[in-house]
Amino acid sequence: MIGLYHDREIETMDKEALSALQLLRYKKTVADALKTPFYKKRLSNVGLESAEDLRSLADIKNIPFTTKEDLREAYPFGLMAVDKEEVVRMHASSGTTGTPTVIYQTQRDLDRWTDLTTRSLVSVGCHKGDIFQNMMTYGLFTGGMGLHYGAEKLGMMVIPVSSGNTKRQFQLMKDFGTTVVHATPSYMLYLYSKMEEFGYKLSDFKLKKALVGAEPHSEEIRKKIENLFGIDAYNSYGLSEMNGPSVAFECDQKSGMHLWEDSYYMEIVNEKTLEEVPDGETGELILSILIRTATPILRYRTRDLTSIIPGPCSCGRISRRISRIKGRTDDMLIINGVNVFPSQIEEVIMKMPEIGTNYRIVVKKNGLLDKLIVQTEVGPSIFSDDARDMNALKRRIIDNLRASITISPVVELHEPGVLPVQEGKAIRVVDERGESK
Ligand code: ADP
Ligand code: ZN
């Protein structure tokens, strides 16, 4: 599929041209930011009184970081950089951890976002004539509407079904010959586990691709989705503060996600020292948006952990690639003093063919010590009443986990369909240690 671009000129421009474009757009964003009370104060503190004070991309390092807390403080209008009448859309984060954060878009802002989502869809081989069933939640959450407009612009037929209602999803997939779906990876696996129960089989469908995102998932989960459905699955990354989906997207090479650098300025820093880390090293992703006038956001601390994949991609696109998101900086569990990322546990268990489509990590207090419990469903043919078989499987899971995270967890095996499932983002970790952790 090499050579199929949505916008060849932008996608394959050389490094110098890209840097020049970034500087131009960054200046414009600083000019917009200076129109907001929030950034006017912030930027004048570091001597940035006008966009012209930003002379080179290297100067960006002097701009203070923006945090989720800052966005909350600016709620509701502190970051609006245009007249209210110019705003045609707003989106807000789910607000599960406090005051929500809000972003605004002008029509031009929306058009530019749409263009990026079209680009992302083209990069994984979607085209006019595809039937696109969008299983991401529509509404204030950006996941649903984000890809909707880009898919229409490309000429796909969009089925805007939103999330949930699994029976309906199957029926639509079958009746309309859905070729591409967009969903969370955990929902894709759930969907598969319910297929038989709702009376469907794979040959009822014409599915070719799944675009999966909105939550961390390992390469093993991708492979599982691909193998179970017999399709290609592509990783899609975004966050509402940066518009939503299509900040970074895999291309058909499946070798990392191109972070669209003409539209977002990226840095990866050590999350403690906040110093830039070399390519290949994991750190916190920092993003500035270069394509939105209504809500400029500079050097946003995403809390997402990733790394830059060194070297060019064979697809020819100039935008550098980031690796699969390892989790958020605040995802890390400390179990009896040992640092564990949930993604490490997922990687180990999902490599084992006996494991089913859902799992959960529970952490409890056991006296003074922490107790790590890994609950996992096993495949339908694996679950048996033979305690010896089950115990042997448990033993192997524990051994594999210990080899990776140096801790021996308690492992619980469950029948398929028993562990809880969420309609939106999966909740993989239940930490019951309360204040004492
Ligand atoms: P929130 O979850 O903070 O309310 P969003 O709905 O905008 O906000 O979700 C954005 C977050 O979802 C990202 O910061 C990231 O942590 C996670 N996310 C999105 N896409 C992916 C992906 N492909 N892989 C891993 N994590 C993702
Ligand atoms: Zn590529």
Side-chain angles (χ1 to χ4, degrees):
M1 196 77 63
I2 294 174
L4 184 61
Y5 303 112
H6 170 55
D7 185 339
R8 175 183 294 269
E9 200 185 323
I10 287 271
E11 289 173 63
T12 65
M13 72 198 327
D14 62 36
K15 183 81 189 97
E16 287 70 39
L18 177 63
S19 298
L21 181 66
Q22 285 184 315
L23 182 59
L24 194 75
R25 288 186 168 175
Y26 212 108
K27 281 183 167 174
K28 165 77 174 68
T29 308
V30 167
D32 291 334
L34 285 167
K35 293 180 194 150
T36 68
F38 173 83
Y39 276 118
K40 188 155 181 48
K41 190 157 153 239
R42 270 281 159 101
L43 297 182
S44 66
N45 285 346
V46 292
L48 260 179
E49 305 284 352
S50 102
E52 289 317 307
D53 294 336
L54 189 87
R55 295 207 173 74
S56 70
L57 292 175
D59 289 344
I60 293 170
K61 287 202 172 49
N62 303 326
I63 297 176
F65 293 106
T66 302
T67 63
K68 191 141 189 136
E69 279 314 310
D70 292 329
L71 301 189
R72 285 189 178 134
E73 263 171 49
Y75 182 89
F77 298 118
L79 275 167
M80 193 190 270
V82 294
D83 288 341
K84 268 191 194 148
E85 295 73 46
E86 297 302 312
V87 174
V88 299
R89 172 101 64 85
M90 63 161 281
H91 277 287
S93 72
S94 43
T96 34
T97 48
T99 315
T101 58
V102 58
I103 59 109
Y104 305 98
Q105 285 139 335
T106 64
Q107 186 56 53
R108 182 165 155 71
D109 294 344
L110 281 182
D111 292 344
R112 294 172 111 179
W113 181 23
T114 296
D115 196 58
L116 267 192
T117 65
T118 307
R119 180 197 297 180
S120 305
L121 291 164
V122 170
S123 77
V124 296
C126 294
H127 48 73
K128 188 174 163 64
D130 266 321
I131 313 292
F132 178 61
Q133 190 164 329
N134 194 359
M135 302 180 178
M136 283 286 188
T137 310
Y138 279 65
L140 284 175
F141 171 66
T142 52
M145 289 176 92
L147 288 196
H148 178 106
Y149 291 91
E152 283 183 355
K153 190 162 167 223
L154 181 57
M156 299 165 95
M157 183 182 98
V158 180
I159 306 178
V161 51
S162 195
S163 58
N165 203 342
T166 303
K167 188 172 176 200
R168 186 101 197 275
Q169 302 283 6
F170 282 128
Q171 193 189 345
L172 291 166
M173 278 169 74
K174 181 176 177 191
D175 294 351
F176 297 96
T178 300
T179 54
V180 182
V181 293
H182 178 213
T184 58
S186 55
Y187 190 69
M188 283 309 290
L189 292 175
Y190 177 72
L191 201 64
Y192 186 85
S193 74
K194 289 288 167 191
M195 193 159 62
E196 228 181 85
E197 187 182 323
F198 284 119
Y200 292 91
K201 49 191 183 319
L202 273 185
S203 57
D204 290 329
F205 308 121
K206 298 201 170 76
L207 196 59
K208 299 211 159 47
K209 297 180 173 55
L211 316 177
V212 294
E215 63 189 22
H217 57 290
S218 55
E219 185 63 36
E220 284 66 34
I221 290 272
R222 180 234 294 272
K223 291 209 182 94
K224 197 155 206 150
I225 295 170
E226 293 192 322
N227 294 337
L228 291 173
F229 285 95
I231 59 174
D232 288 302
Y234 301 95
N235 196 357
S236 148
Y237 169 77
L239 60 164
S240 56
E241 294 82 357
M242 295 289 131
N243 279 348
S246 288
V247 172
F249 222 90
E250 265 181 343
C251 68
D252 59 358
Q253 306 295 304
K254 293 186 193 164
S255 59
M257 298 183 281
H258 289 280
L259 193 135
W260 302 128
E261 292 189 89
D262 53 288
S263 305
Y264 300 94
Y265 185 80
M266 90 161 129
E267 299 159 82
I268 297 190
V269 301
N270 176 294
E271 69 271 24
K272 293 208 179 70
T273 64
L274 301 180
E275 294 295 325
E276 192 145 19
V277 300
D279 286 5
E281 209 170 280
T282 299
E284 178 178 350
L285 180 63
I286 308 293
L287 292 172
S288 305
I289 185 160
L290 308 179
I291 51 160
R292 190 174 61 206
T293 307
T295 311
I297 298 184
L298 309 174
R299 303 196 85 200
Y300 183 62
R301 291 191 63 177
T302 65
R303 300 185 288 182
D304 290 325
L305 293 168
T306 184
S307 58
I308 290 178
I309 298 175
C313 181
S314 43
C315 75
R317 291 180 176 84
I318 177 75
S319 286
R320 285 173 297 169
R321 293 161 299 159
I322 55 168
S323 64
R324 211 165 264 292
I325 307 291
K326 202 172 150 198
R328 295 203 195 195
T329 44
D330 40 10
D331 275 351
M332 192 178 73
L333 294 166
I334 304 178
I335 313 281
N336 299 324
V338 178
N339 297 349
V340 178
F341 273 101
S343 57
Q344 292 176 286
I345 296 180
E346 175 176 305
E347 226 176 280
V348 170
I349 57 177
M350 286 298 162
K351 250 188 208 136
M352 302 178 67
E354 299 90 343
I355 300 300
T357 52
N358 201 0
Y359 76 94
R360 209 161 74 134
I361 298 163
V362 181
V363 194
K364 290 187 172 160
K365 263 288 178 230
N366 187 11
L368 286 176
L369 291 178
D370 300 320
K371 185 170 163 191
L372 175 67
I373 306 165
V374 177
Q375 305 173 326
T376 175
E377 294 179 5
V378 290
S381 56
I382 307 293
F383 201 82
S384 86
D385 292 331
D386 187 334
R388 265 175 315 176
D389 288 357
M390 290 288 102
N391 281 337
L393 177 57
K394 265 191 206 171
R395 205 54 265 159
R396 270 193 299 127
I397 298 174
I398 293 169
D399 288 347
N400 290 348
L401 281 171
R402 194 182 38 232
S404 164
I405 60 173
T406 70
I407 297 175
S408 298
V410 175
V411 170
E412 291 174 12
L413 301 179
H414 294 274
E415 278 180 81
V418 166
L419 295 175
V421 190
Q422 284 76 32
E423 238 176 47
K425 295 169 191 260
I427 299 172
R428 300 289 197 196
V429 179
V430 185
D431 196 333
E432 296 176 352
R433 287 174 294 181
E435 292 304 303
S436 57
K437 63 185 165 179

